[in-house]
Amino acid sequence: MIDPQRCLFHTGLTSIQGPLIFVRNAQGVGLYERVEVRAMHDDVRLGRVVLIADDKVIVEVFQGTEGLSLGEARVKFLSESILLNVGPSMLGRIYNGVGAPIDGGPEIVARRRLRIDGNAINPVRRVVPREFIETGVAAIDAMNSLVRGQKLPIFSGSGLSHDRLASNIARFSRLRGTQAEKFAVVFAAIGVTFDTAEHFRREMDEYGAMQRIALFLNLASDPSAERLLTPRVALTAAEYLAYEEGRHVLVILTDMTNYCEALREVSSSHGEVPSRKGYPGYMYSDLASIYERAGRISGRPGSITQIPILSMPNDDITHPIPDLSGYITEGQIVLDRELDRRGIFPPIKLLPCLSRLMNHGIGKNMTHVDHPAFAQQLYSSYAQAHHLRLLSSVVGEEGLSAADRQLLRFGERMDDEFIRQDDFRRTLEETFDLGWMLLAELPDEVLVRLSDDQIDEHIKRHRHDS
Amino acid sequence: MSRAEVFLINGPVLKARPDGNFQMKEAVFVGDDRLIAEVIRLDADAITVQVFEDTTGLSPGVLIAGSGLPLAVELGPGLLGAMFDGIQRPLRAVAGASGDFLGTAVDVPSLDRERQWRYQPVVDEGTEVSGGHCIGEVAETPNLMHRVMIPPDVAGTVVWRAPAGSYCIDTPLAGIRSAQGMVEVSMLSRWPIRVPRPFRQRLALRSPLWTGQRIIDTLYPIAKGGTGAMPGGFGTGKTVLQQTLAKWCDADVIIYIGCGERGNEMAGVLEEFPGLEDPRTGRMLMERTVLIANTSNMPVAAREASIYTGITMGEYFRDQGYDVALFADSISRWAEALREISGRLEELPAEEGYPAYLPSRLAEFFERAGRTKALAGQESSLTVVGTVSPPGGDFSEPVTAHSRRYVKSFLALDRDRAQARFYPAIHPLQSYSEYVTSTAQWWQHHGGVRWAERRERMLALLQEQARLEKMVKIVGRDALPPSQREVLVCAEVTVEGLLRQSAFSHTDRYCAPEKQAAMLGLIDYFTQRAHELVQAGVDPDTLLTLPVVRRLQRMGEDIDNESLADFADLTHALDDALDALASSMQQKSGEQQAVGE
């Protein structure tokens, strides 16, 4: 309930530092309460209370403090958390970074007002994600399978084609063996350029998918502190769509690196003790409060699957942003500059990729009984090929044995035929077929991850064909 | 009770003006919602508390109520099979009260007060009892007799006792006349989480905590009552390995702490464990497990408390005479919670922003492990194994470096192995265990007669392989003489055949002692025979093309624990194949000699 007494405007600003304003004589204010700040010309900016010491309050202003002055700025405390209006007809719309429609359409008819910070799902109410999603991308489906309710980020670099891959996944994804279900995409642009957001929108429009999409845009030109809200707003909308409307929601967050930069900026203005590379020590918990909102809940029909995209600064996977993300998310898809230069799309670098939930969603009755061994063998042989490639660059191919040369060839064909697929969808059956065919080129003695029966069933057939 | 009025709110850290006396580490309650918090600093005119719940919406002026007692856990029947958060709130009951999402302010007791347990007294009136003495038993699960003990600081005479029957956990079951007066004992007791429970004496470690994982049991054992750390970057399989140990190790009670990790993983444990059988007792694994889940998005102060909550429960079962294994995933997240709170207190940071007391807190935690003689004389153990998540996989960072100082089994997880889907991705050369000599005796009685000697030979082989691999990178494999290529071949067979183990294969996920001994023996035998053959002139690389060597590399998955006879068959097949190779060799060299003459 909004207490009218408390809605009075305060003018007691004592200091403005970066995104923070310091207010005096504010009584009865609550932690993380929503704040409206008005400059002279009456534009309302959103903020929240981050520290209270007696009647002195520090407010974080999400939409910049430019143009505010100590004497004239007015602050209004609203005695409630930051909320998002959610209701039917949220899809097919475009919103700004704090969740207000910017496509010229009507306001959202609010069925509920939800806290954008969300609450943690009680672990006992979670359902283990195990419904295999066919993404149509061979390197993901066969070797790093995605399941509903998972959070699987794409670790990319600046200039790589992560957005194209993400929109392909959004277009191709389907569950096997079921007809079209209630499916939705929530796309949150966090500090990306207008082109990127527009490109995604056009892609979806072209495939007639726009009616299933909600776009939240915080563009590169928008205030950086607002980026702290955008993923939370988008996920709140996704939670409504999933848990109240029963949809299966795919949330694409791009680019989480910009989010982390904003976090660092705000943290340093607080004067907090920094951890690695100046990022705040709580960045792990903060990222977790976003990523952990993926999942399924027992007794509720929908699900939230997340594909956060982050560009690794300097392509460095040990940088705190990908590093901490990798510790929270359930695996990662890593893109590679070398493959990209060779013109291979999607440029997925298989070795560092991983899907932790894969084993829950593949195998008997789900994909194929031999899928686990198949993926293991592809990985093991590809890793060997990779090792030999490094070796042969030093000692030359002549220094390798005949079996090693076969492995080397296998590695090349994996890159050129298996990983490369351009913008075409590949069904799981096509992916299996291609993989077994490539493995059939290798002698039995290197196929130690396959049982004799598996070799008889899958490998011999392809050898026979050729 | 003492009270205090809040004047500063900084995330989970509050400062308040006290009215009355507060103690360090005292449990306190904040506001009308009675949020649980703990005093972490005392000044003349202010107390500082950390709140274990969400502080959104708190305003200055809120009152803090003291409890006069340190933060404690409830101990008694009902722990096994349950899932708690970091401050022991029962998550199932919380879900019943507040729904699918964790809100604040749910007032449910940690242990169910309504449930009745069958109780059987084991002492008579007039018996002299002291701390740790068992006065009665409750069959908490078919395999675990929960012993109701006299609190450690109580001694005296049993004046009355309840007869056998069904009771709730807070019903008094015996009255003890002690020097301090009458004390009533029920199934329920409490113990402060930051204080180690007392025992009579520490004992030397003797037997391994059997894990069923070859690379651990055979190469780097963890002793019962010992400590272990598993550091590794993300995606190296820490959690899967930790869960595998929690499933198959031969402890009586498992405490599994998900400290700042993923919600889906805890859901996975909850879903999987009740359906898995303990290979020794045939009972469901969940019946011996206590889960503590403080996932990464749950309040950070409770994450800090979670490992103490867990280890106190572990000590409680240890004191009843059980072997307990505690798995903490991950120690790094706990250290980060410490760092976050320390930062909010504006303490001077030491390395990488961690507080200067990080090493001493780690030492205190790991020192609570051990094999002990309890107050009442039972011998039992508490083993502590923690995962460590070093940023960027860099083992020189503070949490890994300091953990290393206090643990004696160090299982380093390696990214290259994990990327090749070689699991468990434990690096055989970067890991170590100081429990080899103390467990060697145990192996003598469990089929591993020449275990220590074979293990050493295997390590030497792997060491030599690492050296030769470097040379191969420069000159190529073909340039090595046969004796060195023989080392590479034998090492490859060892690594694939013995060290690789699939956690998802029903045959391979748990490897019994006899099977491990047989596999180690067979690999050792192969290495010796290979050496003889290469000496006689056989090219080592031809060994890899033998179908029987492929069988050797797959024996973990192909031969189950019960089919030990298959190892004898495999040995015969190996002998036949190698003999054939040797005789064809002799024939060839005979022909060559003939030509030469």
Side-chain angles (χ1 to χ4, degrees), chain A residues 86-95 101 103 106-111 211 213-214 240-241 245 247:
Chain A
V86 292
S89 72
M90 287 201 79
L91 290 174
R93 303 289 305 271
I94 302 176
Y95 308 86
D103 52 3
E107 288 291 314
I108 297 300
V109 181
R111 174 177 289 173
Q211 285 319 307
I213 289 182
Y240 168 77
L241 293 168
E245 292 195 353
R247 292 174 200 274

PDB file of all heavy atoms in Angstrom, chain A residues 86-95 101 103 106-111 211 213-214 240-241 245 247:
ATOM      1  N   VAL A  86       2.288  -6.777 -15.286  1.00  0.00           N
ATOM      2  CA  VAL A  86       2.221  -7.894 -16.226  1.00  0.00           C
ATOM      3  C   VAL A  86       0.762  -8.237 -16.472  1.00  0.00           C
ATOM      4  O   VAL A  86      -0.083  -8.052 -15.597  1.00  0.00           O
ATOM      5  CB  VAL A  86       2.971  -9.131 -15.709  1.00  0.00           C
ATOM      6  CG1 VAL A  86       4.463  -8.893 -15.660  1.00  0.00           C
ATOM      7  CG2 VAL A  86       2.462  -9.557 -14.340  1.00  0.00           C
ATOM      8  N   GLY A  87       0.504  -8.742 -17.663  1.00  0.00           N
ATOM      9  CA  GLY A  87      -0.876  -9.109 -17.970  1.00  0.00           C
ATOM     10  C   GLY A  87      -0.927  -9.701 -19.359  1.00  0.00           C
ATOM     11  O   GLY A  87       0.097  -9.824 -20.033  1.00  0.00           O
ATOM     12  N   PRO A  88      -2.137 -10.110 -19.798  1.00  0.00           N
ATOM     13  CA  PRO A  88      -2.254 -10.688 -21.134  1.00  0.00           C
ATOM     14  C   PRO A  88      -1.810  -9.661 -22.185  1.00  0.00           C
ATOM     15  O   PRO A  88      -1.735  -8.480 -21.885  1.00  0.00           O
ATOM     16  CB  PRO A  88      -3.753 -10.999 -21.262  1.00  0.00           C
ATOM     17  CG  PRO A  88      -4.403 -10.561 -20.015  1.00  0.00           C
ATOM     18  CD  PRO A  88      -3.420  -9.943 -19.112  1.00  0.00           C
ATOM     19  N   SER A  89      -1.520 -10.135 -23.336  1.00  0.00           N
ATOM     20  CA  SER A  89      -1.078  -9.309 -24.467  1.00  0.00           C
ATOM     21  C   SER A  89       0.268  -8.655 -24.221  1.00  0.00           C
ATOM     22  O   SER A  89       0.532  -7.560 -24.674  1.00  0.00           O
ATOM     23  CB  SER A  89      -2.131  -8.243 -24.837  1.00  0.00           C
ATOM     24  OG  SER A  89      -2.177  -7.224 -23.860  1.00  0.00           O
ATOM     25  N   MET A  90       1.130  -9.312 -23.442  1.00  0.00           N
ATOM     26  CA  MET A  90       2.489  -8.787 -23.288  1.00  0.00           C
ATOM     27  C   MET A  90       3.351  -9.128 -24.491  1.00  0.00           C
ATOM     28  O   MET A  90       4.359  -8.497 -24.750  1.00  0.00           O
ATOM     29  CB  MET A  90       3.154  -9.394 -22.057  1.00  0.00           C
ATOM     30  CG  MET A  90       2.605  -8.852 -20.765  1.00  0.00           C
ATOM     31  SD  MET A  90       3.763  -9.094 -19.432  1.00  0.00           S
ATOM     32  CE  MET A  90       4.920  -7.789 -19.690  1.00  0.00           C
ATOM     33  N   LEU A  91       2.958 -10.185 -25.213  1.00  0.00           N
ATOM     34  CA  LEU A  91       3.775 -10.625 -26.345  1.00  0.00           C
ATOM     35  C   LEU A  91       3.517  -9.737 -27.562  1.00  0.00           C
ATOM     36  O   LEU A  91       2.498  -9.069 -27.664  1.00  0.00           O
ATOM     37  CB  LEU A  91       3.458 -12.084 -26.665  1.00  0.00           C
ATOM     38  CG  LEU A  91       3.962 -13.072 -25.616  1.00  0.00           C
ATOM     39  CD1 LEU A  91       3.483 -14.475 -25.930  1.00  0.00           C
ATOM     40  CD2 LEU A  91       5.482 -13.042 -25.535  1.00  0.00           C
ATOM     41  N   GLY A  92       4.502  -9.773 -28.452  1.00  0.00           N
ATOM     42  CA  GLY A  92       4.376  -8.978 -29.659  1.00  0.00           C
ATOM     43  C   GLY A  92       4.640  -7.505 -29.421  1.00  0.00           C
ATOM     44  O   GLY A  92       4.288  -6.664 -30.252  1.00  0.00           O
ATOM     45  N   ARG A  93       5.214  -7.172 -28.290  1.00  0.00           N
ATOM     46  CA  ARG A  93       5.408  -5.775 -27.945  1.00  0.00           C
ATOM     47  C   ARG A  93       6.889  -5.452 -27.733  1.00  0.00           C
ATOM     48  O   ARG A  93       7.706  -6.338 -27.531  1.00  0.00           O
ATOM     49  CB  ARG A  93       4.650  -5.450 -26.635  1.00  0.00           C
ATOM     50  CG  ARG A  93       3.161  -5.736 -26.661  1.00  0.00           C
ATOM     51  CD  ARG A  93       2.396  -4.769 -27.549  1.00  0.00           C
ATOM     52  NE  ARG A  93       2.632  -3.385 -27.194  1.00  0.00           N
ATOM     53  CZ  ARG A  93       1.926  -2.696 -26.294  1.00  0.00           C
ATOM     54  NH1 ARG A  93       0.941  -3.291 -25.639  1.00  0.00           N
ATOM     55  NH2 ARG A  93       2.198  -1.434 -26.048  1.00  0.00           N
ATOM     56  N   ILE A  94       7.173  -4.137 -27.775  1.00  0.00           N
ATOM     57  CA  ILE A  94       8.543  -3.673 -27.536  1.00  0.00           C
ATOM     58  C   ILE A  94       8.528  -2.735 -26.336  1.00  0.00           C
ATOM     59  O   ILE A  94       7.660  -1.862 -26.234  1.00  0.00           O
ATOM     60  CB  ILE A  94       9.104  -2.955 -28.772  1.00  0.00           C
ATOM     61  CG1 ILE A  94       9.055  -3.908 -29.982  1.00  0.00           C
ATOM     62  CG2 ILE A  94      10.545  -2.490 -28.527  1.00  0.00           C
ATOM     63  CD1 ILE A  94       9.505  -3.284 -31.274  1.00  0.00           C
ATOM     64  N   TYR A  95       9.476  -2.970 -25.419  1.00  0.00           N
ATOM     65  CA  TYR A  95       9.522  -2.199 -24.174  1.00  0.00           C
ATOM     66  C   TYR A  95      10.906  -1.566 -24.036  1.00  0.00           C
ATOM     67  O   TYR A  95      11.874  -2.032 -24.629  1.00  0.00           O
ATOM     68  CB  TYR A  95       9.290  -3.117 -22.974  1.00  0.00           C
ATOM     69  CG  TYR A  95       8.060  -3.967 -23.082  1.00  0.00           C
ATOM     70  CD1 TYR A  95       8.102  -5.193 -23.751  1.00  0.00           C
ATOM     71  CD2 TYR A  95       6.852  -3.561 -22.533  1.00  0.00           C
ATOM     72  CE1 TYR A  95       6.976  -5.984 -23.873  1.00  0.00           C
ATOM     73  CE2 TYR A  95       5.719  -4.345 -22.638  1.00  0.00           C
ATOM     74  CZ  TYR A  95       5.771  -5.559 -23.312  1.00  0.00           C
ATOM     75  OH  TYR A  95       4.663  -6.337 -23.418  1.00  0.00           O
ATOM     76  N   PRO A 101       6.189   0.226 -22.416  1.00  0.00           N
ATOM     77  CA  PRO A 101       6.075   0.016 -23.871  1.00  0.00           C
ATOM     78  C   PRO A 101       6.595   1.235 -24.641  1.00  0.00           C
ATOM     79  O   PRO A 101       6.330   2.376 -24.250  1.00  0.00           O
ATOM     80  CB  PRO A 101       4.566  -0.146 -24.085  1.00  0.00           C
ATOM     81  CG  PRO A 101       3.999  -0.464 -22.756  1.00  0.00           C
ATOM     82  CD  PRO A 101       4.892   0.177 -21.748  1.00  0.00           C
ATOM     83  N   ASP A 103       6.523   1.019 -28.243  1.00  0.00           N
ATOM     84  CA  ASP A 103       6.182   0.787 -29.647  1.00  0.00           C
ATOM     85  C   ASP A 103       4.952   1.590 -30.059  1.00  0.00           C
ATOM     86  O   ASP A 103       4.363   1.348 -31.097  1.00  0.00           O
ATOM     87  CB  ASP A 103       5.954  -0.714 -29.888  1.00  0.00           C
ATOM     88  CG  ASP A 103       4.966  -1.309 -28.896  1.00  0.00           C
ATOM     89  OD1 ASP A 103       4.418  -0.546 -28.068  1.00  0.00           O
ATOM     90  OD2 ASP A 103       4.750  -2.534 -28.945  1.00  0.00           O
ATOM     91  N   PRO A 106      -0.761   0.542 -26.714  1.00  0.00           N
ATOM     92  CA  PRO A 106      -1.352   0.889 -25.411  1.00  0.00           C
ATOM     93  C   PRO A 106      -0.515   0.364 -24.253  1.00  0.00           C
ATOM     94  O   PRO A 106       0.324  -0.525 -24.426  1.00  0.00           O
ATOM     95  CB  PRO A 106      -2.708   0.192 -25.453  1.00  0.00           C
ATOM     96  CG  PRO A 106      -2.518  -0.955 -26.389  1.00  0.00           C
ATOM     97  CD  PRO A 106      -1.523  -0.504 -27.415  1.00  0.00           C
ATOM     98  N   GLU A 107      -0.766   0.908 -23.092  1.00  0.00           N
ATOM     99  CA  GLU A 107      -0.127   0.396 -21.882  1.00  0.00           C
ATOM    100  C   GLU A 107      -0.581  -1.045 -21.636  1.00  0.00           C
ATOM    101  O   GLU A 107      -1.661  -1.446 -22.076  1.00  0.00           O
ATOM    102  CB  GLU A 107      -0.545   1.258 -20.674  1.00  0.00           C
ATOM    103  CG  GLU A 107       0.074   2.651 -20.627  1.00  0.00           C
ATOM    104  CD  GLU A 107       1.562   2.609 -20.343  1.00  0.00           C
ATOM    105  OE1 GLU A 107       1.959   1.862 -19.431  1.00  0.00           O
ATOM    106  OE2 GLU A 107       2.327   3.311 -21.035  1.00  0.00           O
ATOM    107  N   ILE A 108       0.227  -1.777 -20.907  1.00  0.00           N
ATOM    108  CA  ILE A 108      -0.155  -3.155 -20.575  1.00  0.00           C
ATOM    109  C   ILE A 108      -1.260  -3.122 -19.524  1.00  0.00           C
ATOM    110  O   ILE A 108      -1.176  -2.397 -18.538  1.00  0.00           O
ATOM    111  CB  ILE A 108       1.063  -3.911 -19.999  1.00  0.00           C
ATOM    112  CG1 ILE A 108       2.161  -4.011 -21.058  1.00  0.00           C
ATOM    113  CG2 ILE A 108       0.677  -5.286 -19.497  1.00  0.00           C
ATOM    114  CD1 ILE A 108       1.759  -4.736 -22.297  1.00  0.00           C
ATOM    115  N   VAL A 109      -2.314  -3.897 -19.783  1.00  0.00           N
ATOM    116  CA  VAL A 109      -3.377  -3.998 -18.789  1.00  0.00           C
ATOM    117  C   VAL A 109      -2.835  -4.874 -17.670  1.00  0.00           C
ATOM    118  O   VAL A 109      -2.562  -6.052 -17.870  1.00  0.00           O
ATOM    119  CB  VAL A 109      -4.627  -4.641 -19.408  1.00  0.00           C
ATOM    120  CG1 VAL A 109      -5.730  -4.722 -18.368  1.00  0.00           C
ATOM    121  CG2 VAL A 109      -5.068  -3.850 -20.619  1.00  0.00           C
ATOM    122  N   ALA A 110      -2.651  -4.281 -16.497  1.00  0.00           N
ATOM    123  CA  ALA A 110      -1.957  -4.999 -15.444  1.00  0.00           C
ATOM    124  C   ALA A 110      -2.866  -5.977 -14.731  1.00  0.00           C
ATOM    125  O   ALA A 110      -3.821  -5.595 -14.063  1.00  0.00           O
ATOM    126  CB  ALA A 110      -1.375  -4.005 -14.441  1.00  0.00           C
ATOM    127  N   ARG A 111      -2.590  -7.270 -14.917  1.00  0.00           N
ATOM    128  CA  ARG A 111      -3.318  -8.257 -14.134  1.00  0.00           C
ATOM    129  C   ARG A 111      -2.626  -8.404 -12.783  1.00  0.00           C
ATOM    130  O   ARG A 111      -3.255  -8.582 -11.767  1.00  0.00           O
ATOM    131  CB  ARG A 111      -3.332  -9.596 -14.868  1.00  0.00           C
ATOM    132  CG  ARG A 111      -3.961 -10.693 -14.037  1.00  0.00           C
ATOM    133  CD  ARG A 111      -4.037 -11.988 -14.786  1.00  0.00           C
ATOM    134  NE  ARG A 111      -5.028 -11.938 -15.850  1.00  0.00           N
ATOM    135  CZ  ARG A 111      -5.187 -12.918 -16.732  1.00  0.00           C
ATOM    136  NH1 ARG A 111      -4.421 -13.974 -16.682  1.00  0.00           N
ATOM    137  NH2 ARG A 111      -6.099 -12.822 -17.667  1.00  0.00           N
ATOM    138  N   GLN A 211       4.706 -12.382 -33.048  1.00  0.00           N
ATOM    139  CA  GLN A 211       3.595 -12.418 -32.082  1.00  0.00           C
ATOM    140  C   GLN A 211       3.915 -13.231 -30.837  1.00  0.00           C
ATOM    141  O   GLN A 211       3.157 -13.215 -29.876  1.00  0.00           O
ATOM    142  CB  GLN A 211       2.321 -12.957 -32.762  1.00  0.00           C
ATOM    143  CG  GLN A 211       1.647 -11.956 -33.676  1.00  0.00           C
ATOM    144  CD  GLN A 211       1.635 -10.534 -33.092  1.00  0.00           C
ATOM    145  OE1 GLN A 211       1.202 -10.305 -31.969  1.00  0.00           O
ATOM    146  NE2 GLN A 211       2.167  -9.569 -33.853  1.00  0.00           N
ATOM    147  N   ILE A 213       6.883 -12.871 -29.276  1.00  0.00           N
ATOM    148  CA  ILE A 213       8.096 -12.291 -28.719  1.00  0.00           C
ATOM    149  C   ILE A 213       7.815 -11.025 -27.923  1.00  0.00           C
ATOM    150  O   ILE A 213       6.959 -10.223 -28.301  1.00  0.00           O
ATOM    151  CB  ILE A 213       9.076 -11.978 -29.867  1.00  0.00           C
ATOM    152  CG1 ILE A 213       9.596 -13.297 -30.398  1.00  0.00           C
ATOM    153  CG2 ILE A 213      10.234 -11.108 -29.402  1.00  0.00           C
ATOM    154  CD1 ILE A 213      10.578 -13.151 -31.465  1.00  0.00           C
ATOM    155  N   ALA A 214       8.534 -10.874 -26.812  1.00  0.00           N
ATOM    156  CA  ALA A 214       8.543  -9.596 -26.108  1.00  0.00           C
ATOM    157  C   ALA A 214       9.978  -9.096 -26.111  1.00  0.00           C
ATOM    158  O   ALA A 214      10.890  -9.842 -25.745  1.00  0.00           O
ATOM    159  CB  ALA A 214       8.042  -9.775 -24.684  1.00  0.00           C
ATOM    160  N   TYR A 240       5.998 -14.434 -15.591  1.00  0.00           N
ATOM    161  CA  TYR A 240       4.548 -14.335 -15.744  1.00  0.00           C
ATOM    162  C   TYR A 240       4.091 -15.239 -16.898  1.00  0.00           C
ATOM    163  O   TYR A 240       3.147 -16.031 -16.759  1.00  0.00           O
ATOM    164  CB  TYR A 240       4.126 -12.885 -15.982  1.00  0.00           C
ATOM    165  CG  TYR A 240       2.700 -12.765 -16.434  1.00  0.00           C
ATOM    166  CD1 TYR A 240       1.662 -12.897 -15.523  1.00  0.00           C
ATOM    167  CD2 TYR A 240       2.391 -12.569 -17.782  1.00  0.00           C
ATOM    168  CE1 TYR A 240       0.341 -12.836 -15.937  1.00  0.00           C
ATOM    169  CE2 TYR A 240       1.077 -12.514 -18.200  1.00  0.00           C
ATOM    170  CZ  TYR A 240       0.052 -12.651 -17.279  1.00  0.00           C
ATOM    171  OH  TYR A 240      -1.246 -12.614 -17.693  1.00  0.00           O
ATOM    172  N   LEU A 241       4.798 -15.122 -18.033  1.00  0.00           N
ATOM    173  CA  LEU A 241       4.397 -15.900 -19.211  1.00  0.00           C
ATOM    174  C   LEU A 241       4.504 -17.398 -18.934  1.00  0.00           C
ATOM    175  O   LEU A 241       3.683 -18.192 -19.382  1.00  0.00           O
ATOM    176  CB  LEU A 241       5.287 -15.534 -20.402  1.00  0.00           C
ATOM    177  CG  LEU A 241       5.114 -14.102 -20.937  1.00  0.00           C
ATOM    178  CD1 LEU A 241       6.226 -13.751 -21.905  1.00  0.00           C
ATOM    179  CD2 LEU A 241       3.750 -13.961 -21.620  1.00  0.00           C
ATOM    180  N   GLU A 245       0.823 -18.028 -17.487  1.00  0.00           N
ATOM    181  CA  GLU A 245       0.162 -18.338 -18.761  1.00  0.00           C
ATOM    182  C   GLU A 245       0.563 -19.714 -19.281  1.00  0.00           C
ATOM    183  O   GLU A 245       0.073 -20.150 -20.318  1.00  0.00           O
ATOM    184  CB  GLU A 245       0.493 -17.247 -19.804  1.00  0.00           C
ATOM    185  CG  GLU A 245      -0.137 -15.908 -19.459  1.00  0.00           C
ATOM    186  CD  GLU A 245      -0.148 -14.931 -20.630  1.00  0.00           C
ATOM    187  OE1 GLU A 245       0.453 -15.261 -21.685  1.00  0.00           O
ATOM    188  OE2 GLU A 245      -0.746 -13.853 -20.493  1.00  0.00           O
ATOM    189  N   ARG A 247       3.404 -20.843 -20.588  1.00  0.00           N
ATOM    190  CA  ARG A 247       4.194 -20.933 -21.819  1.00  0.00           C
ATOM    191  C   ARG A 247       5.599 -21.446 -21.530  1.00  0.00           C
ATOM    192  O   ARG A 247       6.100 -21.296 -20.427  1.00  0.00           O
ATOM    193  CB  ARG A 247       4.331 -19.556 -22.458  1.00  0.00           C
ATOM    194  CG  ARG A 247       3.036 -19.025 -22.997  1.00  0.00           C
ATOM    195  CD  ARG A 247       3.227 -17.608 -23.488  1.00  0.00           C
ATOM    196  NE  ARG A 247       1.940 -16.935 -23.575  1.00  0.00           N
ATOM    197  CZ  ARG A 247       1.145 -17.010 -24.643  1.00  0.00           C
ATOM    198  NH1 ARG A 247       1.518 -17.685 -25.703  1.00  0.00           N
ATOM    199  NH2 ARG A 247      -0.019 -16.401 -24.646  1.00  0.00           N
TER     200      ARG A 247
END
